[in-house]
Amino acid sequence: MKKLLVSIIITSFLFLTGCWDSLELEERAFLSGIAIDLPHDNTNQTLNVTEQIVVPNGLITLPASSGTGKGFRNIVEEGRTIYEVGDAIEKQEDRKLDGSHIEIVVISDEVVKEEYQLADVVDVFMREKRMNREVILSIAEGSAGELLYIEPQDVKLPSQYLTQLIIGNYRSVGGDPQRFGNMQQYFINNRSFTLPLLSTEGSSTGIDLTGLAVFSGDNSKMIGALKDDNLEGYMIIQPMYNGSVTTKLDNTYATFHIPDGKTKIKLKNKDPENLHFEFETFLDAELVETFYSEDFFAHKNMKKLESSLETRVKSLITGTIEKVRDEYETDILGLAEHLITKEPKIWKQVKDDWDYGENYFKDVEITLSVNIDIKEPGNSVDTD
């Protein structure tokens, strides 16, 4: 019975993640996640790689008397390339390593800030014919390997927990994380991009999706991160947004749910040396909480609500623009995409120096237009 359950779980795992060839299932050791770090002493320019291998027996729940173990085990090896590490790990296994069902690859920020270009680190994954193109690529603050040792409560595999954490957070604001299948376009076209940033610090659950790691299109190295207000401002100006905003209202606070947010980018002139963009943001908002005791159905109080929310949203977006344009000088705001699709003649003139080299991006003017429509002010009224 136990062997039957193990066989069913392996088969289900494969159906969820892909297909297999003629090699028997029991002869395979399936990888579910990989973490890449720098060794403590990196004088030999090597990588420290943690590979998480699925243990089918640990994925099933049997009567307590039968006992169960973990659904995974991790093997750590050091090598000059990831492929070399894979070979070393495979020599320790009695089964053939199979990476076609990897869910997530986590890379330490220490690897891609100074030592390596991200494009070089993930080259082996891009070349592997059997690699699942839906694999999520993410960055860890500090150690990446330790993230594969957490003990999640609701799933058996740490790699599965990380995957669900990232996807859930992105979907909550109407987005989707970067996957290997669409990374090639950034590397080939020298386009800047972001990746989910994971951290174990300050989290009550062990791991927190703390922000977005920002990568330069010039060399695919991490140049910084968006967190807190900068992250919130960045999410608001995405084409579609679903989230919440808390604003100051006199001496107290009010929180709004934004079920429907949209931002459109407009080019106000066509001079490549003096480009002027406008972000036009439309937010439908619902007041969900406040300690302010006014009747918000009254027109003057409704206008106060709208003004307060508009001021806060503009402040968030402005802070994000200043961080990205003035400090990082890296376009993750979607301006390049706008020029490519809407103004190809202008893009042809600036593409070789857009956010590196001469760097047209750092000198662009960006103005804001924020339109607030409070659909539901809440049910509370002043009964005095």
Side-chain angles (χ1 to χ4, degrees):
M1 179 65 179
K2 183 175 180 180
K3 290 184 177 179
L4 176 61
L5 285 173
V6 171
S7 177
I8 291 173
I9 286 173
I10 293 177
T11 304
S12 300
F13 179 76
L14 292 172
F15 274 125
L16 287 173
T17 55
C19 60
W20 62 91
D21 57 27
S22 59
L23 195 65
E24 295 294 334
L25 298 181
E26 59 267 24
E27 296 177 10
R28 292 180 177 276
F30 294 102
L31 300 178
S32 62
I34 293 179
I36 304 170
D37 290 287
L38 291 178
H40 295 299
D41 179 8
N42 198 32
T43 55
N44 294 324
Q45 291 187 309
T46 56
L47 292 169
N48 210 51
V49 180
T50 305
E51 295 194 349
Q52 187 158 100
I53 299 174
V54 177
V55 178
N57 286 340
L59 297 179
I60 59 178
T61 302
L62 296 174
S65 58
S66 300
T68 59
K70 289 185 177 181
F72 68 94
R73 58 192 177 87
N74 295 330
I75 299 181
V76 183
E77 274 291 342
E78 186 177 326
R80 294 166 296 182
T81 68
I82 295 171
Y83 192 89
E84 182 178 83
V85 170
D87 274 353
I89 290 178
E90 194 158 48
K91 290 176 182 177
Q92 305 174 41
E93 283 293 309
D94 58 358
R95 295 175 294 162
K96 173 74 173 176
L97 286 183
D98 189 323
S100 62
H101 308 292
I102 295 171
E103 292 188 275
I104 188 168
V105 172
V106 188
I107 303 172
S108 169
D109 58 353
E110 297 169 355
V111 174
V112 289
K113 278 183 176 179
E114 297 292 340
E115 294 286 335
Y116 296 91
Q117 297 183 12
L118 180 66
D120 293 337
V121 176
V122 301
D123 180 76
V124 65
F125 302 109
M126 310 295 286
R127 294 178 185 275
E128 172 56 54
K129 295 179 181 179
R130 290 173 52 84
M131 176 59 63
N132 176 14
R133 293 177 64 81
E134 293 301 303
V135 173
I136 290 175
L137 183 58
S138 60
I139 304 299
E141 282 191 313
S143 172
E146 71 177 34
L147 301 184
L148 295 184
Y149 285 90
I150 63 167
E151 297 183 1
Q153 298 298 313
D154 301 323
V155 295
K156 294 287 187 178
L157 304 175
S159 54
Q160 184 181 8
Y161 174 78
L162 296 177
T163 301
Q164 293 178 357
L165 172 69
I166 292 172
I167 292 176
N169 274 272
Y170 270 76
R171 285 180 177 172
S172 71
V173 293
D176 190 55
Q178 296 285 12
R179 302 172 189 268
F180 273 114
N182 58 3
M183 289 307 300
Q184 193 80 17
Q185 62 175 321
Y186 296 104
F187 299 147
I188 292 176
N189 297 313
N190 299 109
R191 302 277 294 282
S192 301
F193 56 91
T194 64
L195 292 175
L197 183 64
L198 299 167
S199 175
T200 57
E201 294 184 6
S203 172
S204 59
T205 58
I207 295 180
D208 183 28
L209 182 58
T210 189
L212 293 173
V214 179
F215 284 80
S216 167
D218 182 30
N219 55 21
S220 73
K221 285 189 175 182
M222 181 178 168
I223 58 173
L226 296 181
K227 299 181 180 181
D228 304 323
D229 284 357
N230 291 150
L231 176 64
E232 191 171 354
Y234 178 77
M235 300 310 298
I236 290 173
I237 57 176
Q238 298 308 296
M240 305 292 292
Y241 173 69
N242 182 328
S244 63
V245 177
T246 296
T247 181
K248 193 78 177 288
L249 194 62
D250 290 342
N251 293 319
T252 186
Y253 294 94
T255 297
F256 297 85
H257 171 54
I258 313 294
D260 186 18
K262 299 181 179 68
T263 293
K264 298 179 180 179
I265 299 175
K266 293 182 178 181
L267 181 63
K268 307 296 286 185
N269 69 358
K270 304 210 183 243
D271 178 8
E273 301 291 338
N274 188 33
L275 292 174
H276 176 192
F277 293 88
E278 180 182 52
F279 283 7
E280 193 171 12
T281 299
F282 301 86
L283 300 177
D284 290 343
E286 301 170 355
L287 178 65
V288 293
E289 184 178 6
T290 183
F291 301 131
Y292 196 68
S293 59
E294 295 290 340
D295 175 10
F296 290 118
F297 288 94
H299 179 73
K300 67 175 183 178
N301 293 329
M302 179 66 76
K303 298 304 291 184
K304 181 184 291 187
L305 272 179
E306 291 177 350
S307 176
S308 173
L309 181 55
E310 179 183 340
T311 299
R312 175 58 175 164
V313 168
K314 284 184 175 180
S315 174
L316 290 170
I317 298 174
T318 298
T320 300
I321 292 172
E322 291 174 350
K323 172 68 75 172
V324 170
R325 180 193 60 190
D326 303 339
E327 182 176 342
Y328 295 157
E329 298 182 357
T330 299
D331 179 19
I332 56 169
L333 300 178
L335 303 188
E337 286 80 357
H338 180 83
L339 292 177
I340 290 169
T341 57
K342 303 293 186 182
E343 304 289 346
K345 291 183 179 179
I346 296 178
W347 177 246
K348 188 176 181 179
Q349 298 177 62
V350 302
K351 66 177 183 177
D352 292 332
D353 290 283
W354 177 241
D355 59 356
Y356 47 86
E358 186 175 337
N359 203 320
Y360 290 96
F361 170 72
K362 68 180 177 60
D363 295 321
V364 300
E365 180 182 357
I366 302 175
T367 53
L368 307 178
S369 171
V370 176
N371 304 274
I372 304 293
D373 185 5
I374 299 180
K375 299 291 187 181
E376 180 59 63
N379 296 322
S380 298
V381 297
D382 186 358
T383 57
D384 290 343

